[in-house]
Amino acid sequence: MSTSAPPRIERPEATLYTPQICRGLACLLVAVYHGAALIGSWYGEKPLLTLSNFGFSGVHMFFVISGLIIYHAHRHDVDNFYRVPDYLLKRLVRIYPLYWIVFIVSGGWKVFANRMEVGDFFLNALLFTSSKSLLVAVAWTLAYEMVFYGIFITFILKRSLGMLVFATWFVLVALNDHYHFANLIGLNLINTLFMLGLLTSATVMALRKQLSKNSRDWIGIVSLVAGTLVFVGTACWYILLDDPKLPVWDNLTLTLGFGTGSALLLLASVSARLEGLWKRQRWLLLIGDASYSIYLVHFFFQKRVSNGLRSLDWVPAGEKTQAKALLLLAVIMAISIACGIIIHKWIEKPVLAKCREWLKIGGSARPHDHPQAQRATSPS
């Protein structure tokens, strides 16, 4: 009989750094997408040409990350209906306070000067929609986040109920994509990205518990390479297709391509070696930490910086070239990202901490309170 010891299975780590890196990447993709389009509209030369056209894919990645983080942060709440109030407070506090601040500054204040309809004010402020136009351009994605948060409650009530509801949701979304019987955000194809993120999170947790460190490292590296190839390949397909009329939010190829690519990139978090690598990337983690602030405010600042450049006549004179367009993009990107980070540090974090203190809901779903362990607790 063999006396050799079985391979040592390490305890799954609480912190996930890969999602934070991916959040930073997703945020930069969206910011470049908006920035390049903005410069192209008034300068006449679009920086990066068509290479920036797939920047909307940052939203696909955000949704997959959101599904992963929600399960990771609240997996211990599953099958415990007493945790529903705490779960709801955490989700609402994570989304609304900063959004309301940005919303008021962006133009919500006009309701107090009778320059904005009260009904439209509340549509913007509460439901992330509008009868005219959104004051925070990216707010429409938050409506999808809230739908997902609401449906995830079924898992907290009872695991079996959650599995049944999510399976039914997936079937309805698939049928609606084929037959188009309802124009509801909860039934749009892009919702499958949340489900994919949730499945990825469950897979990561299972692999961390069952496999050795060496096996997880190999899976993580292969997943990282595969995810990069799938994501970039989907982007190349879209660029080469060159069809501006293609509906990017309910296209099956784009949803599967960017969604699967994002899920594979996130699956790389099973690797302790890769997690250790990302843990040392302070600037990338900072952008990931500040991604919600950057996401909400980047377009606001990009527009004002571009207007300032034009009014001060700082736009490069002479022939319009890619080099000059890239210089303009670098300026508005640097300023908008920096403003987002400042808002994160001086507004988002203090407001979030104060709200959690008032509501007594705690600052983290982690089993420990080390500062580095807080990074992956805030969902997109």
Side-chain angles (χ1 to χ4, degrees):
M1 184 174 65
S2 173
T3 58
S4 60
R8 179 173 177 265
I9 307 298
E10 296 189 352
R11 179 181 178 273
E13 299 173 11
T15 304
L16 294 180
Y17 292 96
T18 302
Q20 288 302 90
I21 297 294
C22 288
R23 287 177 68 182
L25 173 62
C27 181
L28 292 176
L29 281 172
V30 174
V32 167
Y33 177 74
H34 288 144
L38 190 62
I39 291 174
S41 66
W42 60 266
Y43 181 61
E45 179 72 24
K46 186 176 181 180
L48 300 175
L49 299 175
T50 58
L51 291 179
S52 63
N53 287 353
F54 74 95
F56 62 84
S57 60
V59 173
H60 293 74
M61 185 177 288
F62 268 132
F63 283 179
V64 179
I65 294 170
S66 182
L68 180 140
I69 293 296
I70 288 300
Y71 181 79
H72 185 262
H74 294 281
R75 64 190 186 280
H76 299 302
D77 297 335
V78 172
D79 249 346
N80 185 356
F81 65 90
Y82 292 108
R83 299 292 296 169
V84 170
D86 189 71
Y87 164 80
L88 283 174
L89 284 176
K90 285 183 178 180
R91 294 305 101 224
L92 295 176
V93 164
R94 188 64 188 91
I95 293 294
Y96 277 108
L98 179 63
Y99 170 74
W100 282 335
I101 293 171
V102 175
F103 166 66
I104 292 295
V105 173
S106 299
W109 56 268
K110 294 178 182 178
V111 72
F112 304 108
N114 295 321
R115 292 166 55 188
M116 182 180 183
E117 296 179 3
V118 175
D120 204 45
F121 174 87
F122 284 108
L123 284 175
N124 268 270
L126 299 177
L127 302 177
F128 314 110
T129 186
S130 172
S131 59
K132 295 179 180 178
S133 62
L134 287 169
L135 292 180
V136 181
V138 298
W140 66 272
T141 62
L142 299 181
Y144 285 87
E145 293 274 355
M146 298 305 291
V147 169
F148 172 63
Y149 292 167
I151 293 179
F152 187 81
I153 291 175
T154 58
F155 268 107
I156 300 177
L157 292 173
K158 194 167 185 61
R159 186 187 300 270
S160 57
L161 175 63
M163 294 177 68
L164 175 61
V165 168
F166 268 74
T168 303
W169 189 25
F170 177 81
V171 170
L172 288 175
V173 169
L175 290 174
N176 191 52
D177 180 63
H178 185 74
Y179 295 106
H180 306 288
F181 56 80
N183 186 24
L184 300 171
I185 65 169
L187 294 182
N188 287 345
L189 183 63
I190 201 171
N191 286 287
T192 56
L193 297 173
F194 294 111
M195 308 176 204
L196 185 58
L198 191 150
L199 180 62
T200 303
S201 185
T203 303
V204 168
M205 294 300 103
L207 292 177
R208 282 189 161 199
K209 290 179 180 178
Q210 297 174 10
L211 298 182
S212 67
K213 179 179 180 298
N214 196 43
S215 297
R216 289 189 284 119
D217 282 342
W218 274 109
I219 291 176
I221 293 171
V222 171
S223 180
L224 180 65
V225 173
T228 301
L229 291 175
V230 172
F231 198 93
V232 173
T234 305
C236 290
W237 174 83
Y238 176 73
I239 292 172
L240 293 175
L241 189 63
D242 193 24
D243 183 5
K245 296 182 179 180
L246 185 73
V248 298
W249 304 121
D250 57 2
N251 180 271
L252 182 60
T253 301
L254 293 178
T255 302
L256 285 176
F258 289 132
T260 302
S262 298
L264 287 169
L265 288 172
L266 293 169
L267 186 60
S269 59
V270 301
S271 168
R273 178 177 297 181
L274 289 176
E275 287 288 284
L277 173 64
W278 303 139
K279 185 178 180 179
R280 297 190 293 271
Q281 310 307 312
R282 294 180 179 273
W283 281 102
L284 292 177
L285 287 174
L286 176 60
I287 294 176
D289 288 341
S291 59
Y292 185 47
S293 291
I294 296 171
Y295 184 68
L296 287 181
V297 306
H298 74 273
F299 193 58
F300 175 87
F301 285 107
Q302 284 180 348
K303 289 177 66 175
R304 276 137 192 87
V305 172
S306 63
N307 290 338
L309 292 174
R310 286 186 290 173
S311 63
L312 295 174
D313 199 25
W314 287 352
V315 180
E319 182 183 357
K320 296 176 180 178
T321 65
Q322 269 295 295
K324 295 175 181 177
L326 284 170
L327 175 62
L328 291 172
L329 178 62
V331 171
I332 70 170
M333 281 289 293
I335 295 176
S336 61
I337 297 299
C339 289
I341 291 174
I342 291 171
I343 289 171
H344 165 69
K345 283 185 169 293
W346 294 96
I347 298 178
E348 180 186 1
K349 289 180 68 176
V351 168
L352 194 57
K354 185 59 68 174
C355 288
R356 285 169 171 167
E357 179 185 340
W358 287 341
L359 296 171
K360 296 180 173 57
I361 57 176
S364 174
R366 300 288 176 207
H368 54 79
D369 295 324
H370 190 279
Q372 292 291 348
Q374 304 294 328
R375 292 194 182 278
T377 62
S378 52
S380 54

